[in-house]
Amino acid sequence: MDLFDSELRVIAAAEDLARTLGADANHTVAAAAMDTTGRIHTGVNVDHFTGGPCAELVMIGSAAAAGAGPLVTIAAVGDHDRGLLAPCGRCRQVILDLHPEALVAIPDKATGERSIAPIPALLPHAYRHPDAAPMRLLRFNARYREAVMNGTKTLTVRLCVINFK
């Protein structure tokens, strides 16, 4: 599957950060996300015998501290060239609760290719926290931006082009 440039930028940011992690066994995964303004936020995991937050959770906290809006695309990469990593179950639930419109970069173990999936697809039949009130995103082609902004375009049709097997 061909990824958009913005998705590739998020993956590249996580890969760049992961390359810096080599020596410290407490930090082995890097995560990156793009918010709705195009800013990229990063974080690394904190491994500890008492448990610790995954890189995705640290990145979500870092984005919140920076005043980010909804996260659009998320990727995590392992150190020592382990490549793209799918989020664990806890991270999937947190992403779903806080950023339910996010797309997550995942590896395809069979082909070795990278793809993108909406977070609900990674956690089907998930528990939805009753008090969660995340902001919703509307994705549309950039050519419609002016018409959406000035109110002349008020309708859209959702199109899912992601193929899951």
Side-chain angles (χ1 to χ4, degrees), residues 30-118:
M34 181 179 288
D35 67 19
T36 54
T37 68
R39 289 185 301 168
I40 293 181
H41 307 274
T42 59
V44 299
N45 71 314
V46 181
D47 191 27
H48 189 262
F49 74 91
T50 62
C54 296
E56 295 93 333
L57 300 184
V58 172
M59 175 274 305
I60 288 170
S62 175
L71 300 180
V72 178
T73 306
I74 297 172
V77 174
D79 65 350
H80 301 292
D81 296 318
R82 289 186 292 142
L84 196 59
L85 303 172
C88 72
R90 177 177 67 167
C91 288
R92 291 176 192 210
Q93 184 68 55
V94 171
I95 295 167
L96 181 68
D97 288 343
L98 301 180
H99 302 283
E101 307 288 335
L103 299 174
V104 179
I106 55 172
D108 183 327
K109 302 250 190 250
T111 66
E113 292 186 27
R114 303 177 295 189
S115 63
I116 201 89

Side-chain angles (χ1 to χ4, degrees), residues 3-23:
L3 300 177
F4 291 108
D5 288 342
S6 59
E7 296 162 348
L8 293 172
R9 282 182 47 217
V10 172
I11 295 169
E15 289 172 337
D16 290 346
L17 183 53
R19 277 192 282 279
T20 70
L21 299 178

Side-chain angles (χ1 to χ4, degrees), residues 120-131:
L122 297 181
L123 201 58
H125 312 292
Y127 171 78
R128 296 302 300 263
H129 192 279
D131 296 330

